[in-house]
Amino acid sequence: MVVALRVAPGAAVRSHTSRCRATSRSGRGALSPAATASQPQRRIHLFDGGGGNLGRLVTQRLSSQQQSKKKRGALLSFSSSSSSPVAADEDGCSGTAKLAAADAAAAAAAAAPVSGAKKDPGAKSSLEQTYYQHGGTRGPDLRGDVNGIPWASARILALDAAQPGWFPPQPNSWASYSSGGAGGGGGGSNNMFAGTEWQRLLPPALVPGPSPPQLLSVAPMMEYTTAHFRYLCRLLSSRTWLYTEMEVDRTLVHTEHPRLDRFLDFPTQTHPSALQLGGSDPELLALATAIAAPYGYDEINLNCGCPSPKVAGKGAFGAALMLEPSLVAECVAAMAENSGGAPVTVKCRIGVDDVDSYSDLCRFVETVAAAMPPAGVWSGDCRPLFAIHARKALLKGLSPAENRTVPPLRYEWVYALARDFPELGFVLNGGVTTAEEAAAVVRGAGVPQGGGRLVGTMIGRAVHANPWGVLGNADVAVFGAESNPCKSRRELLEKYAVYCQATHGRYGVTKDGYTVPSVRHLMHPLQNLFQGQHNAKVWRREVDEVLKQDAKKPGASVADVLERTLGVLSDEVLDAPPGPDWPPAGGGAAPEPLKVLPAMPAAVVRGASRAAATAR
């Protein structure tokens, strides 16, 4: 049901706008109380959900650690002195929060006594032990169809019905098929997810379909590319590829159903979706891939680009894997044998520390690609795919944030890879921040003479910083569609409110009375929706104030928060169409970073880079 809600301009503005009124600022957001009372009421259309009962669950309280992060302007706070969001790592590892959480949970599980059974040092506590043992209430285990929103866990339920006892899967081990090479199928007779045969157990409506070309994708970013943010991105663009946060292999291996849904479940409307895994043990990555395969991701990606000390240092994976191409080849081969038919791809840098020559990069690509089977029928382009962040990583001396900005971009190296490895596909990451720039790359603008064509581009932090500006026009600009899914931010909010109403409190209520997911978590993807617009900061502060006041208020919902705060924004902002007009004047020139590129490195003789590395 859609209801017309009457909100007077400025009615939602309390303490913050009162300060604005004291200034000489003019405009609709600076009305005096008398002027506000005399203004006609505006109509804001939002999803009601029936009878005005927009949800009776309440927001999840931040832990003390999160509260301290909030004071530093971290993830969940809407209030900020800057309009830019907290930086997230496009290699999917800015916070490594899940890795730390997995370690803490494993330690707690190891310390807990278990009668009659040998303790598993990596086992996690049950859902009841984690959330509900002290007065909380467990949710109804909503899976599959969650209040009208279809989720990928419907495939898990279908497998449970068709073949009871299939979980945990029995993956091929690296030792069982390494002698036969990637895709050799050695030891595959006991592996349910060695290919696409498992899909025969699914109803036809649940079988993953073919994927569009990867012309544009949203990079994996820890604590940003959540299922909620990806759903918002899908409402903005129906064809852009969406990558998950990085999931650590050990986290998945030591988790059981239905708790795995917290890490792997996603709305099926967000296809095409890619899962990024982190790890360096082929056996663990094989098992983690087999666990994730029945969710039906369109792609499984291995993180070889994260420079975080906890990942590339202590964790010995991420960007550190670029120093061991043979190990990466083993990992991707093990993953491909257990991916359920989904292609396995790699996201990496152009170099690490002193291993930063073009021949070193070619050696890595050549070695890893030899273990990567073709992408198969799930994608229009069957070539094995590498997403290349066109900067090197310095594992010592630079922070993850500095590793995103200090090392220079070398796009010419990525074009050289496309020239020297035409049988592979390459996606460019780093420095491209708009759909128009991505479209220029797809059209071949700025390709150096003799350079190869790229498959597409991957954009990370810019999407989170300005989702409407980057993705609002992506279907038309990049994919050549006749129209975009949402004609205005108002329409986008109406659709997103439907999702939030269905998803709010899906996993129940904690012992302290906060829902999982909470209203605050569901509102987080919207924090930069009005980036650059008049009163955008006022709206963010107002949302933060409402969330603080209504943390445990029965009936709190995303729709309620929007209804109470959107009055600070004008109709012109809410109803403005995505832009700019396409194609741009002049036919669309190359994006600024690609207009003038240094000369590409000389071609490396295939196999020579491996021989040189062996001789060292």
Side-chain angles (χ1 to χ4, degrees), residues 93-140:
C93 64
S94 62
T96 63
K98 292 185 179 178
L99 179 59
D103 292 339
V114 180
S115 59
K118 186 177 180 180
K119 292 188 295 185
D120 181 353
K124 287 181 174 289
S125 303
S126 67
L127 281 170
E128 289 78 5
Q129 291 174 321
T130 305
Y131 289 106
Y132 313 109
Q133 62 180 349
H134 298 298
T137 58
R138 179 168 179 169

Side-chain angles (χ1 to χ4, degrees), residues 167-230:
F167 187 87
Q170 300 297 318
N172 290 341
S173 66
W174 168 251
S176 68
Y177 59 79
S178 58
S179 60
S189 59
N190 66 336
N191 181 14
M192 185 176 180
F193 300 106
T196 59
E197 294 298 315
W198 67 278
Q199 298 179 13
R200 296 184 179 183
L201 301 175
L202 303 180
L206 295 179
V207 175
S211 305
Q214 201 164 151
L215 306 183
L216 177 64
S217 55
V218 175
M221 295 177 286
M222 280 295 291
E223 298 181 339
Y224 285 123
T225 50
T226 62
H228 316 313
F229 182 74
R230 299 197 309 271

Side-chain angles (χ1 to χ4, degrees), residues 296-473:
Y297 281 95
D298 299 271
E299 174 188 308
I300 310 292
N301 179 265
L302 179 62
N303 186 334
C304 296
C306 176
S308 167
K310 290 185 178 180
V311 172
K314 180 180 178 181
F317 58 98
L321 284 174
M322 292 197 69
L323 302 174
E324 301 184 68
S326 297
L327 175 60
V328 177
E330 295 180 8
C331 290
V332 297
M335 293 168 65
E337 280 286 325
N338 299 278
S339 67
V344 174
T345 64
V346 171
K347 187 175 188 297
C348 64
R349 297 280 183 131
I350 60 171
V352 175
D353 293 336
D354 295 331
V355 184
D356 59 354
S357 68
Y358 181 68
S359 61
D360 290 326
L361 177 60
C362 289
R363 175 172 63 92
F364 176 83
V365 170
E366 185 177 5
T367 303
V368 175
M372 298 172 69
V377 298
W378 283 30
S379 175
D381 190 341
C382 295
R383 295 178 297 174
L385 186 73
F386 287 80
I388 308 290
H389 188 155
R391 290 185 175 94
K392 66 177 289 184
L394 293 172
L395 303 184
K396 296 181 179 180
L398 292 183
S399 67
E402 291 170 332
N403 264 302
R404 294 191 298 270
T405 55
V406 174
L409 288 164
R410 291 185 173 177
Y411 292 135
E412 67 275 12
W413 283 28
V414 185
Y415 282 108
L417 287 175
R419 173 199 66 192
D420 296 338
F421 297 89
E423 73 279 11
L424 304 178
F426 294 94
V427 168
L428 177 66
N429 177 222
V432 178
T433 59
T434 69
E436 289 68 40
E437 291 176 350
V441 172
V442 169
R443 296 194 317 274
V447 177
Q449 185 176 2
R453 292 288 292 270
L454 304 179
V455 172
T457 57
M458 176 180 286
I459 304 178
R461 289 172 291 127
V463 175
H464 186 268
N466 187 8
W468 178 260
V470 177
L471 295 181
N473 194 46

